[in-house]
Amino acid sequence: GEDVEQSLFLSVREGDSSVINCTYTDSSSTYLYWYKQEPGAGLQLLTYIFSNMDMKQDQRLTVLLNKKDKHLSLRIADTQTGDSAIYFCAERGSGAGSYQLTFGKGTKLSVIP
Amino acid sequence: GAVVSQHPSWVICKSGTSVKIECRSLDFQATTMFWYRQFPKQSLMLMATSNEGSKATYEQGVEKDKFLINHASLTLSTLTVTSAHPEDSSFYICSAREMGVRTEAFFGQGTRLTVV
């Protein structure tokens, strides 16, 4: 089945850029997502990218997609302490009516003041 | 953005009892709702997909008689954990997808279930 992999931890200093990486196996993925989860809370959609795009930028967030290598990254510029959370990469397949998401295990981002 | 509300946020119940968790889309109609389970320090595991007015589709390994899902309206889906046991303790999260062509699903805030 589909698989999504992420590194489990990332630690950066406040003000630096954070880059969270994700790899996936489903070559038919249509959309790829980044979600943020703060402690004890649900998931907040940060951004998503369609599979025919290479890059998407939204304020401090930049998503890069290398479809050939099935590699997705999320760059957070000027990382703040409020960015500390778990970030999940997710992919959506292309099956008819498929809106199910497959999630990675999440990357815990710790921002050091 | 669209809002999905889950209730309750946390619940403690005795072993053997049943617990109902509600998932509501507050400002949009959700044709499809998804129920996920999240174990500590783990990813979200899809349990089932429910479409309004029809039976839920359960993922392999999920007991449909234990996790009852009802999606009776376009704004409400419920998950009932029947005869709960301590191993059912987990964080349950729902998400809802709006009718039409919007690509993203919106998530509830999750329900922490503790069975004692």
Side-chain angles (χ1 to χ4, degrees):
Chain A
E2 300 86 5
D3 195 20
V4 178
E5 298 283 342
Q6 296 176 246
S7 53
L8 296 181
F9 302 99
L10 177 66
S11 183
V12 299
R13 292 202 175 276
E14 189 174 16
D16 289 349
S17 293
S18 309
V19 179
I20 304 171
N21 294 302
C22 170
T23 58
Y24 59 98
T25 58
D26 185 1
S27 58
S28 66
S29 293
T30 52
Y31 289 91
L32 295 122
Y33 303 81
W34 284 104
Y35 286 90
K36 177 183 180 182
Q37 184 182 35
E38 298 188 26
L43 272 71
Q44 172 194 354
L45 176 66
L46 287 179
T47 186
Y48 64 92
I49 188 168
F50 188 48
S51 59
N52 69 351
M53 296 171 63
D54 298 324
M55 186 182 87
K56 181 177 181 181
Q57 187 156 2
D58 183 2
Q59 299 182 334
R60 291 192 297 125
L61 305 179
T62 303
V63 178
L64 295 178
L65 174 61
N66 182 326
K67 195 174 181 183
K68 173 176 170 289
D69 294 338
K70 301 190 191 68
H71 182 267
L72 182 74
S73 68
L74 173 69
R75 178 177 181 271
I76 306 173
D78 187 24
T79 312
Q80 304 297 307
T81 54
D83 295 324
S84 294
I86 299 177
Y87 291 81
F88 289 94
C89 166
E91 65 92 19
R92 188 185 117 190
S94 63
S98 171
Y99 292 95
Q100 297 172 3
L101 302 180
T102 302
F103 288 84
K105 290 188 175 181
T107 299
K108 184 174 183 179
L109 174 64
S110 299
V111 182
I112 304 166
Chain B
V3 178
V4 175
S5 176
Q6 233 176 291
H7 178 80
S9 297
W10 59 270
V11 58
I12 301 173
C13 70
K14 289 187 176 181
S15 190
T17 61
S18 295
V19 174
K20 181 185 282 187
I21 302 169
E22 293 187 348
C23 179
R24 292 181 185 272
S25 56
L26 297 186
D27 51 1
F28 66 98
Q29 292 185 321
T31 47
T32 306
M33 288 188 172
F34 304 91
W35 287 95
Y36 294 86
R37 182 174 178 175
Q38 186 180 29
F39 294 97
K41 299 182 181 179
Q42 295 287 324
S43 183
L44 283 79
M45 286 178 46
L46 179 65
M47 297 174 66
T49 302
S50 74
N51 293 296
E52 185 266 338
S54 62
K55 289 185 178 180
T57 302
Y58 289 81
E59 294 299 300
Q60 194 172 7
V62 178
E63 301 172 62
K64 61 181 179 182
D65 294 331
K66 180 166 188 62
F67 299 98
L68 301 179
I69 292 172
N70 183 286
H71 191 166
S73 78
L74 285 171
T75 59
L76 174 64
S77 176
T78 60
L79 167 68
T80 302
V81 182
T82 62
S83 187
H85 287 95
E87 57 264 30
D88 298 325
S89 298
S90 193
F91 194 57
Y92 294 87
I93 302 178
C94 73
S95 74
R97 195 185 74 83
E98 189 173 5
M99 293 175 73
V101 297
R102 292 189 73 162
T103 60
E104 63 270 32
F106 298 93
F107 285 78
Q109 72 271 35
T111 298
R112 169 74 61 193
L113 170 63
T114 303
V115 185
V116 297

